[in-house]
Amino acid sequence: MDGGGSGGRDAEGARDPRPVARLRSVALAATALAGGLVAGLWGGTAAADPLEPLVARIDPQSALSFAVVAGSLIFALTTALFYRIEQRRWTARETALRGEIAELRGANDRAEIVIGAESQIVVSWDGRDAEPRIEGDRAALGPAAAGRKLLAFGAWLAPSDAGTLEAALVRLRERGEAFQAVLKTQGGGYVDALGRALGGQAILRLREVTGDRRAVREADDRLARQGAELDSLRGLIEGLAQPVWLRDAEGRVAWANGAWLAAVEARDLADARARGLDLLDRGTREAAATARAQNQAFRARAAAIVAGARRVVDIAETPSGAGSAGIAVDVTELEEVRGDLVRQMQAHVRTLDYLPSAVAIFDARQTLVFHNAAYRRLWGLDQTFLESGPAEGEILDRLRADRKLPEQVDFRRWKADLLSAYRAIEPQESWWHLPDRRTLHVVANPNPQGGLTYLFEDVSEHILLESRYNALIRVQGETLDALEEGVAVFGSDGRLKLANRAFRALWRLEPQTEEEPHVEAVIAACAALAPGDEAWSEIRAAVAGQPDSRDGLALRLARRDGLHLDCAIQPLPDGGTLVAFVDVTASVNVERALIEKNEALEAAARLREDFVHHVSYELRSPLTTIIGFTQLLGDGTVGELNERQKDYAGHIMRSSGALLAIVNDILDLASIDTGSLALEPAPVDIRETIEAAARGLDDRIAEQEIVLEIDAPQDIGTFVADPKRVRQVLFNLLSNAIGFSSAGQTIRVRARRQAGDVVLEVVDSGRGIPEAVAAKVFDRFESHTLGTRHRGVGLGLSIVRAFVEAHGGRVSLISEPGSGTTVTCVFPADGPQRLAAE
């Protein structure tokens, strides 16, 4: 047993199969021996054995018992021996394992000491699907990476670095690829990540980068970032449309963008240096160099040649290191716009100065910066005072002292409320009732840059007109209600806006239950008394038709009760329609009688004309005889007459001539009325015709001592007309002028050509004609003495107008009492030919 135990200990607890085999053999042998003994005792057929005599004395049952006991004893001994051997072996094995555990614990403690010596975390995976094991200082990477949140890399690493680490871990766990990287956290720190595959495990070590390594890493990142920013800035500057350049310590251009090269028309910087090109002139460069030497920024606006064109640029150069950086901004268009703005502002100022409304502009300091002439006139302020830039409060105080502001119980509070508009956002309106009974509408509009713009509008006349308008509307309403005619006004929407009492009474309409009924409802109510679809359709179309197609309309309606109504429809300027109904029942009845009377009068007129025509012809013959014999008597052909007889003969001669002229005028008018007057066109010498007409009135001119002046050019020439009728026109006009002129006055006959027409004027300086009389002087048998001795039947001017219009011309009369009369006759040059063509 000692040898077995020693052998087991020498083997350091390893399993030795030899003792076990021996024990198994002994046990099997003992078992076999007991079995053979039992068989011999039981069967009796075995071979002879030296113990046979002993066995023979033992009965089979005892032998069997002995064999079982012996076998059990032998098995027990064997088992006890085997147990003892195995106990010794496992004791040695346990002692060896305890030593290994102690060594492993020491190694683990040493590893933890090594891991804990630095601020780091180690994560390991035993297999692809195994749970990770985290060791080390779990708070080493901050709260965002504490505990299980460590493996949520996107929560505490920069997005790009989180993706990189996750991809590297996948390759490490699947293919065992090692990696090492420095990652950036979201808090701005750095983490050193190392991945290795050891003993079938994937190991990840995370350690915060500190000290010099962190400083180097930050410097590298800052350098990379600044490099990227520099590249971006350089790209931005290259893309600028403004020239940008860098100068060295000697003032030479060390770098320039494409816009600068294009401005100086150079291929590149070397070409510009070789050709001595620069965007700035010498004076500007020297001024910039002076500012650079004093370490000051240089800014100026100067003219420069940019791409062959003269432009105005704003130049800015700033010292940087041993040189300077500069930029030029083209402000040519800005200068042009500024000039246009100045001109527009001046134009606006001039425009505001001509406005009838007073305008005043105050800046944010409440100082007057602009006022127009209307403002100065409104308040009667001195120009010098206003141009000195007074504050609004100062102006208000002066106006209050002059009693030009509205009377206020508490002026200080009113003034404070007024000045509060400077802090307002929306425009404020107010009404000022001045002591001189003027009313001003005042608008205070805040300016975007601060301050206020005041607009003072004198609305006194507007208020007065509005009051008068309202009064007029009321008067018109009362007037319409007082009319006997039915009047209704429809709006552009076809609804009844106004109806007087006569309209409702005429159509027996009840008081309106519906406000502003439609024209359809009104027609339906009225049509019950006056059926007639056609008439009402026309009224409906006139009221509710298209505005551009509406015209005035007049029609007559016959009602069932025998009334006859005249309806007049007139479109109004505002799109409405005026409808008026007049009861003409009596007029219709009278009209029938008048028609009959008119027919009788027309027959009487024809009879009168025939009578006048006949009598006139019958009178001419005896008058001609009387005039002839009177001339013989006056000439002394039948004997000399004394003075009284000559005087009587002269009176007979003048009376007969006047009577003959009247008869001739009556005949002419009769010819005109019957259309039988025929003109005989011929060349008419204008001046000679005037003189001939005047000669026919020499005796009257001499008798009344009238001065006759003929104002006609010698070369005025001729025109085509009926010479006899033109001479008769002038004769009648001169005769009329002589009759209304006093002794010693002047009558002027003017003739001129105007746009191809011949214009004849007879101007007298007599009493003149009142307007009421002047409107009727061309009517037949209109005779007015106007306080003179002139007598006539009132046919002269009627003849004048008839003859002139027969030539296609026109007659006009201008006269005022006490200022004389001017009668103008215009004969068209082609009048007779045109009339003949017609």
Side-chain angles (χ1 to χ4, degrees):
M1 292 175 66
D2 294 340
S6 176
R9 285 190 299 270
D10 292 341
E12 293 295 329
R15 184 182 298 272
D16 187 0
R18 288 178 295 175
V20 177
R22 286 196 297 272
L23 287 174
R24 189 176 297 159
S25 300
V26 173
L28 291 175
T31 303
L33 178 60
L37 179 58
V38 171
L41 294 175
W42 191 267
T45 60
D49 191 95
L51 298 178
E52 184 177 356
L54 178 60
V55 173
R57 292 192 294 273
I58 302 174
D59 58 286
Q61 185 176 3
S62 299
L64 180 59
S65 301
F66 175 78
V68 171
V69 171
S72 299
L73 180 61
I74 293 170
F75 181 76
L77 292 174
T78 303
T79 302
L81 178 62
F82 178 74
Y83 171 76
R84 181 61 180 172
I85 293 171
E86 286 297 320
Q87 183 180 17
R88 288 183 177 180
R89 188 175 65 83
W90 281 109
T91 299
R93 177 65 175 168
E94 182 179 0
T95 303
L97 290 176
R98 289 181 182 275
E100 290 180 4
I101 290 173
E103 290 179 2
L104 289 175
R105 287 178 176 174
N108 183 60
D109 292 340
R110 289 190 300 272
E112 290 181 353
I113 291 172
V114 171
I115 293 174
E118 296 185 10
S119 180
Q120 62 182 356
I121 298 175
V122 176
V123 184
S124 61
W125 291 269
D126 290 338
R128 177 175 300 179
D129 298 328
E131 290 292 325
R133 186 171 58 196
I134 303 173
E135 297 176 321
D137 185 4
R138 298 195 175 192
L141 301 180
R148 286 291 179 180
K149 294 187 290 184
L150 174 70
L151 300 180
F153 302 121
W156 58 279
L157 285 178
S160 58
D161 290 347
T164 301
L165 179 58
E166 289 176 354
L169 281 177
V170 170
R171 293 193 299 272
L172 173 64
R173 296 179 63 184
E174 292 182 353
R175 299 194 293 271
E177 294 183 8
F179 67 88
Q180 183 174 7
V182 178
L183 309 174
K184 188 173 182 179
T185 66
Q186 294 181 359
Y190 297 90
V191 175
D192 187 6
L194 176 64
R196 293 287 187 273
L198 298 174
Q201 293 184 344
I203 307 297
L204 171 64
R205 187 189 71 180
L206 300 174
R207 181 174 60 184
E208 185 178 10
V209 178
T210 59
D212 294 340
R213 291 186 62 205
R214 176 169 181 157
V216 171
R217 186 65 187 180
E218 290 177 348
D220 290 343
D221 285 351
R222 187 164 54 252
L223 181 61
R225 186 170 59 254
Q226 291 177 352
E229 292 176 354
L230 181 61
D231 292 340
S232 300
L233 182 60
R234 187 182 295 273
L236 175 63
I237 294 176
E238 281 289 348
L240 287 178
Q242 292 79 19
V244 180
W245 64 89
L246 297 176
R247 295 187 186 273
D248 55 18
E250 287 75 19
R252 295 173 299 183
V253 178
W255 178 87
N257 66 348
W260 187 91
L261 296 174
V264 300
E265 298 180 305
R267 294 188 303 275
D268 50 28
L269 188 58
D271 181 37
R273 288 176 177 174
R275 296 163 57 190
L277 301 176
D278 201 312
L279 182 63
L280 309 181
D281 57 21
R282 178 176 298 178
T284 306
R285 292 199 302 271
E286 291 176 353
T290 302
R292 185 169 59 252
Q294 298 174 358
N295 198 27
Q296 295 179 355
F298 172 75
R299 288 179 174 81
R301 177 168 292 180
I305 304 301
V306 179
R310 188 175 184 85
R311 312 289 289 180
V312 178
V313 295
D314 273 348
I315 302 166
E317 274 199 2
T318 304
S320 60
S324 62
I327 185 172
V329 180
D330 190 345
V331 295
T332 305
E333 295 181 358
L334 177 62
E335 285 294 315
E336 294 175 354
V337 171
R338 180 175 297 174
D340 292 341
L341 179 60
V342 170
R343 288 189 293 272
Q344 290 180 5
M345 290 181 63
Q346 292 175 351
H348 290 165
V349 168
R350 290 193 298 269
T351 301
L352 290 175
D353 212 30
Y354 284 107
L355 285 179
S357 300
V359 179
I361 301 177
F362 294 86
D363 60 13
R365 296 175 301 174
Q366 302 182 11
T367 302
L368 181 66
V369 295
F370 171 79
H371 69 280
N372 64 351
Y375 179 82
R376 187 171 60 253
R377 291 192 301 268
L378 175 65
W379 300 116
L381 296 174
D382 184 61
Q383 178 73 16
T384 306
F385 169 71
L386 294 176
E387 290 180 351
S388 64
E392 184 179 1
E394 184 179 354
I395 296 176
L396 292 175
D397 291 338
R398 173 171 289 198
L399 293 177
R400 178 173 180 257
D402 294 340
R403 295 183 56 81
K404 295 181 178 180
L405 290 179
E407 296 294 341
Q408 302 293 332
V409 176
D410 189 350
F411 176 76
R412 183 173 299 177
R413 182 175 180 180
W414 179 82
K415 178 180 176 182
D417 292 341
L418 183 64
L419 297 180
S420 65
Y422 284 91
R423 300 184 298 273
I425 299 176
E426 299 294 332
Q428 297 185 2
E429 297 185 45
S430 58
W431 300 85
W432 291 8
H433 302 282
L434 303 184
D436 59 0
R437 297 186 178 182
R438 288 184 299 172
T439 301
L440 300 182
H441 179 214
V442 182
V443 179
N445 187 25
N447 297 328
Q449 300 82 10
L452 286 175
T453 297
Y454 280 101
L455 179 64
F456 300 88
E457 184 178 3
D458 189 349
V459 295
S460 305
E461 185 177 356
H462 173 76
I463 293 177
L464 178 61
L465 291 176
E466 184 177 2
S467 175
R468 292 179 177 175
Y469 173 78
N470 293 333
L472 181 61
I473 291 297
R474 290 193 296 270
V475 170
Q476 287 179 347
E478 294 296 333
T479 303
L480 288 177
D481 281 340
L483 290 177
E484 296 182 359
E485 294 82 0
V487 178
V489 177
F490 292 87
S492 57
D493 57 354
R495 295 190 174 275
L496 182 64
K497 304 297 182 181
L498 175 66
N500 64 350
R501 286 193 294 266
F503 178 81
R504 294 189 179 91
L506 190 63
W507 293 106
R508 302 174 188 175
L509 298 177
E510 298 295 332
Q512 295 181 8
T513 58
E514 178 187 357
E515 185 177 357
E516 296 185 357
H518 196 265
V519 64
E520 293 290 348
V522 176
I523 290 177
C526 297
L529 294 177
D533 295 338
E534 183 177 355
W536 291 115
S537 297
E538 293 181 2
I539 294 175
R540 182 185 298 105
V543 172
Q546 295 295 328
D548 55 352
S549 62
R550 295 187 306 148
D551 295 321
L553 179 65
L555 49 88
R556 178 165 292 178
L557 298 174
R559 295 199 344 183
R560 296 180 185 273
D561 54 4
L563 291 180
H564 293 272
L565 302 178
D566 273 353
C567 176
I569 303 174
Q570 182 61 41
L572 299 178
D574 61 351
T577 305
L578 174 68
V579 181
F581 293 93
V582 181
D583 186 355
V584 293
T585 306
S587 300
V588 170
N589 295 332
V590 172
E591 184 179 356
R592 296 192 184 100
L594 290 177
I595 291 174
E596 296 174 356
K597 291 182 179 180
N598 185 57
E599 293 176 351
L601 290 175
E602 288 180 354
R606 287 193 296 272
L607 181 61
R608 181 194 61 191
E609 290 176 359
D610 294 340
F611 173 76
V612 169
H613 189 268
H614 178 72
V615 169
S616 298
Y617 274 104
E618 292 297 329
L619 287 176
R620 291 188 68 180
S621 298
L623 282 176
T624 303
T625 304
I626 293 172
I627 292 172
F629 283 118
T630 303
Q631 287 178 346
L632 290 175
L633 292 174
D635 293 341
T637 306
V638 295
E640 289 294 332
L641 301 177
N642 57 32
E643 293 300 325
R644 178 173 293 183
Q645 291 173 338
K646 290 182 179 180
D647 188 36
Y648 291 159
H651 283 297
I652 295 172
M653 185 68 181
R654 286 191 296 272
S655 298
S656 300
L659 182 58
L660 181 61
I662 292 173
V663 172
N664 290 333
D665 290 342
I666 292 174
L667 290 176
D668 290 335
L669 289 176
S671 300
I672 293 172
D673 291 340
T674 58
S676 60
L677 178 65
L679 298 179
E680 299 178 359
V684 177
D685 189 305
I686 298 174
R687 188 174 183 85
E688 181 180 343
T689 302
I690 295 173
E691 293 174 351
R695 283 194 300 270
L697 297 168
D698 283 344
D699 54 345
R700 293 184 59 189
I701 293 174
E703 180 182 356
Q704 296 187 20
E705 299 179 354
I706 299 296
V707 179
L708 179 63
E709 295 182 357
I710 299 177
D711 182 8
Q714 294 295 332
D715 57 348
I716 191 171
T718 63
F719 73 104
V720 177
D722 188 332
K724 176 182 177 183
R725 302 307 181 185
V726 173
R727 186 167 56 252
Q728 190 172 352
V729 166
L730 290 172
F731 182 87
N732 288 352
L733 292 177
L734 286 173
S735 177
N736 196 68
I738 293 170
F740 287 96
S741 297
S742 302
Q745 291 184 337
T746 301
I747 297 176
R748 184 177 295 104
V749 181
R750 288 199 295 261
R752 64 183 183 277
R753 290 185 180 274
Q754 181 178 334
D757 298 336
V758 175
V759 180
L760 301 177
E761 291 182 349
V762 176
V763 182
D764 65 62
S765 53
R767 295 174 178 268
I769 304 174
E771 183 178 357
V773 177
K776 300 185 294 181
V777 294
F778 289 104
D779 295 341
R780 295 180 183 181
F781 303 105
E782 286 290 334
S783 178
H784 301 275
T785 61
L786 300 178
T788 65
R789 295 181 301 171
H790 178 71
R791 298 293 184 270
V793 295
L795 296 177
L797 292 180
S798 301
I799 296 295
V800 169
R801 182 173 65 179
F803 286 168
V804 173
E805 291 178 353
H807 284 79
R810 60 187 182 278
V811 180
S812 62
L813 182 143
I814 301 174
S815 180
E816 292 183 4
S819 300
T821 303
T822 301
V823 181
T824 304
C825 301
V826 180
F827 290 90
D830 59 344
Q833 292 87 337
R834 186 172 67 250
L835 292 175
E838 292 177 357

